[in-house]
Coordinates of all heavy atoms in Angstrom, one line a residue:
Q239 N 124.0 -92.0 -55.5 CA 122.7 -91.6 -55.9 C 121.9 -92.8 -56.4 O 120.7 -92.9 -56.0 CB 122.8 -90.5 -57.0 CG 123.3 -89.2 -56.6 CD 124.8 -89.1 -56.4 OE1 125.5 -90.1 -56.6 NE2 125.3 -87.9 -56.3
Y240 N 122.5 -93.7 -57.1 CA 121.8 -94.9 -57.5 C 121.3 -95.7 -56.4 O 120.2 -96.2 -56.3 CB 122.7 -95.7 -58.5 CG 122.2 -97.1 -58.7 CD1 121.0 -97.4 -59.4 CD2 122.9 -98.2 -58.1 CE1 120.6 -98.8 -59.5 CE2 122.5 -99.5 -58.2 CZ 121.3 -99.8 -58.9 OH 120.9 -101.1 -59.0
I241 N 122.2 -96.0 -55.4 CA 121.9 -96.8 -54.2 C 120.8 -96.1 -53.4 O 119.8 -96.7 -53.0 CB 123.2 -97.1 -53.4 CG1 124.2 -97.8 -54.2 CG2 122.8 -97.9 -52.2 CD1 125.6 -97.9 -53.5
G242 N 121.0 -94.8 -53.1 CA 120.0 -94.1 -52.3 C 118.7 -94.1 -52.9 O 117.6 -94.2 -52.3
Q243 N 118.6 -93.9 -54.3 CA 117.3 -93.9 -55.0 C 116.6 -95.3 -54.9 O 115.4 -95.4 -54.7 CB 117.5 -93.5 -56.4 CG 116.2 -93.2 -57.1 CD 115.4 -92.1 -56.5 OE1 116.0 -91.1 -56.0 NE2 114.1 -92.2 -56.6
T244 N 117.4 -96.3 -54.9 CA 116.9 -97.7 -54.8 C 116.3 -97.9 -53.4 O 115.2 -98.4 -53.2 CB 118.0 -98.7 -55.0 OG1 118.5 -98.6 -56.3 CG2 117.4 -100.2 -54.9
F245 N 117.0 -97.4 -52.3 CA 116.5 -97.4 -51.0 C 115.1 -96.7 -50.9 O 114.2 -97.2 -50.3 CB 117.4 -96.7 -50.0 CG 118.8 -97.4 -49.8 CD1 119.8 -96.8 -49.2 CD2 119.0 -98.7 -50.2 CE1 121.0 -97.4 -48.9 CE2 120.2 -99.4 -50.0 CZ 121.2 -98.7 -49.4
I246 N 115.1 -95.6 -51.5 CA 113.8 -94.7 -51.5 C 112.7 -95.4 -52.2 O 111.6 -95.5 -51.6 CB 114.1 -93.3 -52.1 CG1 115.1 -92.5 -51.3 CG2 112.8 -92.6 -52.3 CD1 115.7 -91.3 -52.0
E247 N 112.9 -95.9 -53.4 CA 111.8 -96.5 -54.1 C 111.4 -97.9 -53.6 O 110.2 -98.3 -53.8 CB 112.3 -96.7 -55.6 CG 112.5 -95.3 -56.3 CD 112.9 -95.5 -57.7 OE1 112.9 -96.6 -58.3 OE2 113.3 -94.5 -58.3
R248 N 112.2 -98.6 -52.9 CA 111.9 -99.9 -52.3 C 111.7 -99.8 -50.8 O 111.9 -100.8 -50.1 CB 112.9 -100.9 -52.7 CG 112.9 -101.2 -54.2 CD 111.7 -101.9 -54.7 NE 111.5 -103.2 -54.0 CZ 112.1 -104.4 -54.4 NH1 112.9 -104.4 -55.5 NH2 111.9 -105.5 -53.8
D249 N 111.4 -98.6 -50.3 CA 111.4 -98.4 -48.8 C 110.3 -99.2 -48.1 O 109.1 -98.9 -48.4 CB 111.2 -96.9 -48.6 CG 111.3 -96.6 -47.1 OD1 111.9 -97.3 -46.4 OD2 110.7 -95.5 -46.7
Q250 N 110.7 -100.1 -47.4 CA 109.8 -100.9 -46.4 C 110.6 -101.1 -45.2 O 111.8 -101.4 -45.3 CB 109.2 -102.1 -47.0 CG 108.2 -101.9 -48.2 CD 107.4 -103.1 -48.5 OE1 106.8 -103.7 -47.5 NE2 107.2 -103.4 -49.7
A251 N 109.9 -101.2 -44.1 CA 110.6 -101.4 -42.8 C 111.4 -102.7 -42.8 O 110.9 -103.8 -43.1 CB 109.6 -101.5 -41.7
N252 N 112.7 -102.5 -42.5 CA 113.7 -103.6 -42.3 C 113.9 -104.4 -43.6 O 114.4 -105.6 -43.5 CB 113.2 -104.6 -41.2 CG 113.3 -103.9 -39.8 OD1 114.3 -103.2 -39.6 ND2 112.4 -104.1 -38.9
T253 N 113.7 -103.8 -44.7 CA 114.1 -104.5 -46.0 C 115.7 -104.5 -46.0 O 116.3 -103.5 -45.7 CB 113.6 -103.8 -47.2 OG1 112.2 -103.8 -47.2 CG2 114.2 -104.4 -48.5
L254 N 116.2 -105.7 -46.4 CA 117.7 -105.8 -46.5 C 118.1 -105.6 -48.0 O 117.5 -106.3 -48.8 CB 118.2 -107.1 -46.0 CG 118.3 -107.3 -44.5 CD1 118.8 -108.7 -44.2 CD2 119.2 -106.3 -43.8
F255 N 119.0 -104.8 -48.3 CA 119.5 -104.5 -49.6 C 120.9 -105.2 -49.8 O 121.8 -104.8 -49.1 CB 119.6 -103.0 -49.9 CG 118.2 -102.4 -50.0 CD1 117.6 -102.0 -48.8 CD2 117.7 -102.1 -51.2 CE1 116.3 -101.4 -48.9 CE2 116.4 -101.4 -51.3 CZ 115.7 -101.1 -50.1
L256 N 120.9 -106.2 -50.6 CA 122.2 -107.0 -50.7 C 122.9 -106.4 -51.9 O 122.4 -106.4 -53.1 CB 121.9 -108.5 -51.0 CG 121.5 -109.3 -49.7 CD1 120.1 -108.9 -49.2 CD2 121.5 -110.8 -50.0
S257 N 124.2 -106.1 -51.7 CA 125.0 -105.4 -52.8 C 126.3 -106.1 -53.0 O 127.2 -105.8 -52.2 CB 125.2 -103.9 -52.4 OG 126.0 -103.3 -53.3
P258 N 126.4 -106.9 -54.0 CA 127.7 -107.5 -54.3 C 128.6 -106.4 -54.9 O 128.1 -105.6 -55.8 CB 127.4 -108.5 -55.4 CG 125.9 -108.8 -55.3 CD 125.3 -107.5 -54.8
Y259 N 129.8 -106.2 -54.4 CA 130.6 -105.1 -54.8 C 132.0 -105.6 -55.2 O 132.6 -106.5 -54.6 CB 130.8 -104.1 -53.6 CG 131.7 -103.0 -54.0 CD1 131.3 -101.9 -54.8 CD2 133.0 -102.9 -53.5 CE1 132.1 -100.9 -55.2 CE2 133.9 -101.8 -53.9 CZ 133.4 -100.8 -54.7 OH 134.2 -99.8 -55.0
N260 N 132.5 -105.1 -56.4 CA 133.7 -105.5 -57.0 C 134.7 -104.4 -56.9 O 134.4 -103.3 -57.5 CB 133.5 -106.0 -58.4 CG 134.8 -106.5 -59.1 OD1 135.8 -106.6 -58.4 ND2 134.7 -106.7 -60.4
T261 N 135.8 -104.5 -56.2 CA 136.8 -103.5 -56.2 C 137.6 -103.3 -57.5 O 138.4 -102.4 -57.7 CB 137.8 -103.8 -55.1 OG1 138.5 -105.0 -55.4 CG2 137.1 -103.9 -53.7
G262 N 137.5 -104.3 -58.4 CA 138.3 -104.4 -59.6 C 139.0 -105.7 -59.7 O 139.2 -106.2 -60.7
D263 N 139.3 -106.2 -58.5 CA 139.9 -107.6 -58.5 C 139.5 -108.4 -57.3 O 140.0 -109.5 -57.0 CB 141.5 -107.4 -58.4 CG 141.9 -106.6 -57.2 OD1 141.1 -106.3 -56.3 OD2 143.1 -106.3 -57.1
H264 N 138.4 -108.0 -56.6 CA 137.9 -108.7 -55.4 C 136.4 -108.4 -55.2 O 136.0 -107.3 -55.3 CB 138.7 -108.4 -54.2 CG 138.2 -109.0 -53.0 ND1 138.2 -110.4 -52.8 CD2 137.7 -108.5 -51.8 CE1 137.7 -110.7 -51.6 NE2 137.4 -109.6 -51.0
W265 N 135.7 -109.5 -55.0 CA 134.2 -109.4 -54.7 C 134.0 -109.4 -53.1 O 134.7 -110.2 -52.4 CB 133.4 -110.5 -55.3 CG 133.2 -110.4 -56.8 CD1 133.9 -111.1 -57.7 CD2 132.2 -109.6 -57.4 NE1 133.4 -110.8 -59.0 CE2 132.3 -109.9 -58.8 CE3 131.3 -108.7 -56.9 CZ2 131.5 -109.2 -59.8 CZ3 130.4 -108.1 -57.9 CH2 130.6 -108.3 -59.3
M266 N 133.1 -108.6 -52.7 CA 132.6 -108.7 -51.3 C 131.2 -108.4 -51.3 O 130.6 -108.0 -52.3 CB 133.4 -107.7 -50.4 CG 133.2 -106.2 -50.9 SD 134.4 -105.1 -50.1 CE 135.9 -105.6 -51.1
L267 N 130.5 -108.5 -50.1 CA 129.1 -108.2 -50.0 C 128.8 -107.2 -49.0 O 129.3 -107.3 -47.8 CB 128.3 -109.6 -49.7 CG 126.8 -109.4 -49.7 CD1 126.2 -109.1 -51.0 CD2 126.2 -110.7 -49.1
V268 N 128.0 -106.2 -49.4 CA 127.6 -105.2 -48.4 C 126.1 -105.3 -48.4 O 125.4 -105.4 -49.4 CB 127.9 -103.8 -48.9 CG1 127.4 -102.7 -48.0 CG2 129.5 -103.6 -49.0
V269 N 125.6 -105.4 -47.1 CA 124.1 -105.5 -46.9 C 123.6 -104.4 -46.0 O 124.2 -104.2 -44.9 CB 123.8 -106.9 -46.3 CG1 122.3 -107.1 -46.1 CG2 124.4 -108.1 -47.0
V270 N 122.6 -103.7 -46.5 CA 122.2 -102.5 -45.8 C 120.7 -102.6 -45.3 O 119.9 -103.0 -46.1 CB 122.3 -101.2 -46.7 CG1 121.9 -100.0 -45.9 CG2 123.7 -101.1 -47.3
N271 N 120.5 -102.2 -44.1 CA 119.1 -102.0 -43.6 C 119.0 -100.5 -43.4 O 119.4 -100.0 -42.4 CB 119.0 -102.7 -42.2 CG 117.5 -102.6 -41.7 OD1 116.8 -101.7 -42.0 ND2 117.1 -103.6 -40.9
P272 N 118.4 -99.8 -44.4 CA 118.3 -98.3 -44.3 C 117.4 -97.9 -43.1 O 117.6 -96.8 -42.6 CB 117.7 -97.9 -45.6 CG 117.9 -99.1 -46.6 CD 117.9 -100.3 -45.7
T273 N 116.5 -98.7 -42.8 CA 115.6 -98.3 -41.6 C 116.4 -98.1 -40.4 O 116.1 -97.2 -39.6 CB 114.5 -99.4 -41.4 OG1 113.8 -99.7 -42.7 CG2 113.5 -99.0 -40.4
T274 N 117.3 -99.0 -40.1 CA 118.0 -98.9 -38.8 C 119.4 -98.3 -39.1 O 120.1 -98.0 -38.1 CB 118.3 -100.3 -38.3 OG1 119.0 -101.1 -39.2 CG2 117.0 -101.0 -37.9
E275 N 119.7 -97.9 -40.3 CA 121.0 -97.4 -40.7 C 122.1 -98.2 -40.2 O 123.2 -97.7 -39.7 CB 121.1 -95.9 -40.2 CG 120.1 -95.0 -40.7 CD 120.4 -93.5 -40.4 OE1 121.3 -93.2 -39.7 OE2 119.6 -92.7 -40.9
I276 N 122.0 -99.5 -40.5 CA 123.1 -100.5 -40.2 C 123.6 -101.1 -41.5 O 122.8 -101.5 -42.3 CB 122.6 -101.6 -39.2 CG1 122.2 -101.0 -37.8 CG2 123.6 -102.7 -39.0 CD1 121.7 -102.0 -36.9
V277 N 124.9 -101.1 -41.6 CA 125.5 -101.7 -42.8 C 126.3 -102.9 -42.4 O 127.2 -102.9 -41.5 CB 126.4 -100.7 -43.5 CG1 126.9 -101.3 -44.8 CG2 125.7 -99.4 -43.8
Y278 N 126.0 -104.1 -43.0 CA 126.7 -105.3 -42.7 C 127.7 -105.5 -43.8 O 127.4 -105.5 -45.0 CB 125.7 -106.5 -42.7 CG 124.7 -106.3 -41.6 CD1 123.4 -105.9 -42.0 CD2 124.9 -106.6 -40.3 CE1 122.4 -105.8 -41.0 CE2 123.9 -106.5 -39.3 CZ 122.7 -106.1 -39.7 OH 121.7 -105.9 -38.7
Y279 N 128.9 -105.9 -43.4 CA 130.1 -105.9 -44.4 C 130.6 -107.4 -44.3 O 131.1 -107.8 -43.2 CB 131.1 -104.9 -44.0 CG 132.5 -105.0 -44.6 CD1 132.7 -104.8 -46.0 CD2 133.6 -105.3 -43.8 CE1 133.9 -104.9 -46.5 CE2 134.9 -105.3 -44.3 CZ 135.0 -105.2 -45.7 OH 136.3 -105.2 -46.2
L280 N 130.6 -108.1 -45.4 CA 131.1 -109.4 -45.5 C 132.2 -109.5 -46.5 O 132.0 -109.3 -47.7 CB 130.0 -110.4 -45.8 CG 128.8 -110.6 -44.8 CD1 127.7 -109.5 -45.1 CD2 128.2 -112.0 -44.9
D281 N 133.4 -109.8 -46.1 CA 134.6 -109.8 -46.9 C 135.3 -111.1 -46.7 O 135.8 -111.4 -45.6 CB 135.5 -108.6 -46.6 CG 136.7 -108.5 -47.6 OD1 136.9 -109.4 -48.4 OD2 137.4 -107.5 -47.5
S282 N 135.4 -111.9 -47.8 CA 136.1 -113.2 -47.7 C 137.6 -113.2 -47.5 O 138.2 -114.2 -47.2 CB 135.7 -114.1 -48.9 OG 136.2 -113.5 -50.1
L283 N 138.2 -112.0 -47.6 CA 139.5 -111.8 -47.3 C 139.8 -111.3 -45.9 O 140.9 -111.2 -45.4 CB 140.2 -110.8 -48.2 CG 140.4 -111.2 -49.7 CD1 141.0 -110.1 -50.5 CD2 141.2 -112.5 -49.8

Side-chain angles (χ1 to χ4, degrees):
Q239 288 81 352
Y240 161 71
I241 299 169
Q243 191 61 34
T244 303
F245 292 166
I246 293 166
E247 293 180 11
R248 293 292 298 275
D249 183 25
Q250 293 199 43
N252 289 322
T253 296
L254 283 181
F255 292 80
L256 284 72
S257 179
Y259 179 75
N260 180 10
T261 63
D263 58 8
H264 176 62
W265 284 102
M266 63 195 72
L267 183 66
V268 177
V269 185
V270 184
N271 184 334
T273 305
T274 59
E275 297 192 357
I276 295 176
V277 184
Y278 302 100
Y279 166 68
L280 295 87
D281 186 352
S282 59
L283 290 180

